[in-house]
Amino acid sequence: MTSASAPSPPIESRILDAALAEFSAFGLRRTSMEDVARRAGVARGTVYRKFAAKDVLVQAVILREGRRFMAEFAMVVEPYPALADKLVEGWVFSLAHMRGHALFSGLLFADPEAMLPYLTVNNSTLLAVCRTFVAQFLRDAQRRGELEPMDPDPPAELMARIVTSYIVSPDGCLDLADQQQLRAFARRHLVPIITGLRSRGCQEHGISRPEGAAGTT
């Protein structure tokens, strides 16, 4: 099939793409539903039929970007067999990805008053999706016998909240641009918290990285 005959993306995807572009370029408050409709090439009424209000549209864009992040996260940590390694490398990837994201980080800097509520008081849906996603890694570790039986939801939610807190408030004693420091921090502090000191995959002095994986020297 040639590019000329390739099907157009569904209308909802076009609207979400347009909204992401408008939000990233002009901020949440300066972007109207009319602006999104114009960029998407649809009528304003079509946008409102798919997303009843601007707040609903913003939430939908954030949730889709969150799901995209999770898909990339899964690919990044897939080569690492141990849970501790997955947590550490996932932590490093998460902060790098979010810090470079035009929506999650860029708008927090450019339009913090408008963006901040979606990552704090109004983030229950995104938090639930992230919790479910991380909990699956813990359940997989339990099935492998690497982690003792426990309810995976509380530690999974804790990890999601920790990552969010560093995105919302990045300044502190941890240099988020230093991956070596991030890995050391995760090995010493994050992995024990998330696993309750019950993971047998955590190594005291480093992570056994598969050949060719990110961070391998």
Side-chain angles (χ1 to χ4, degrees), residues 16-197:
L16 292 173
D17 288 341
L20 176 61
E22 289 289 324
F23 294 155
S24 300
F26 304 107
L28 298 183
R29 287 179 293 186
R30 293 178 58 192
T31 297
S32 67
M33 297 290 266
E34 290 82 356
D35 295 328
V36 174
R38 188 180 308 110
R39 185 182 284 263
V42 299
R44 186 182 70 167
T46 301
V47 176
Y48 277 106
R49 281 195 297 273
K50 298 294 183 180
F51 306 96
K54 182 178 172 181
D55 179 69
V56 175
L57 177 59
V58 174
Q59 293 276 15
V61 171
I62 290 174
L63 185 58
R64 188 183 68 164
E65 292 307 298
R67 292 186 186 280
R68 285 177 168 174
F69 153 73
M70 285 177 253
E72 292 186 44
F73 180 107
M75 289 190 293
V76 167
V77 305
E78 194 278 332
Y80 299 89
L83 174 63
D85 296 4
K86 291 180 184 294
L87 289 174
V88 172
E89 295 304 316
W91 158 257
V92 173
F93 166 77
S94 297
L95 292 182
H97 179 93
M98 294 298 187
R99 288 176 66 241
H101 198 285
L103 186 65
F104 290 113
S105 185
L107 277 183
L108 271 177
F109 177 78
D111 198 3
E113 292 183 4
M115 185 63 185
L116 191 58
Y118 292 102
L119 297 180
T120 53
V121 295
N122 295 332
N123 77 333
S124 59
T125 300
L126 180 61
L127 181 62
V129 170
C130 291
R131 179 180 64 239
T132 300
F133 174 74
V134 176
Q136 187 59 53
F137 286 95
L138 303 184
R139 290 190 178 92
D140 291 343
Q142 289 173 334
R143 282 194 288 269
R144 294 193 302 267
E146 186 183 354
L147 195 65
E148 293 179 9
M150 64 173 182
D151 180 0
D153 283 342
E157 181 171 308
L158 178 59
M159 182 164 184
R161 288 182 180 274
I162 291 173
V163 171
T164 301
S165 73
Y166 274 96
I167 299 305
V168 170
S169 182
D171 295 332
C173 64
L174 191 60
D175 182 356
L176 302 187
D178 186 339
Q179 292 193 357
Q180 183 176 354
Q181 185 181 146
L182 291 178
R183 288 189 174 94
F185 175 88
R187 285 195 299 271
R188 181 173 294 274
H189 302 292
L190 186 61
V191 171
I193 290 174
I194 300 303
T195 64
L197 297 174

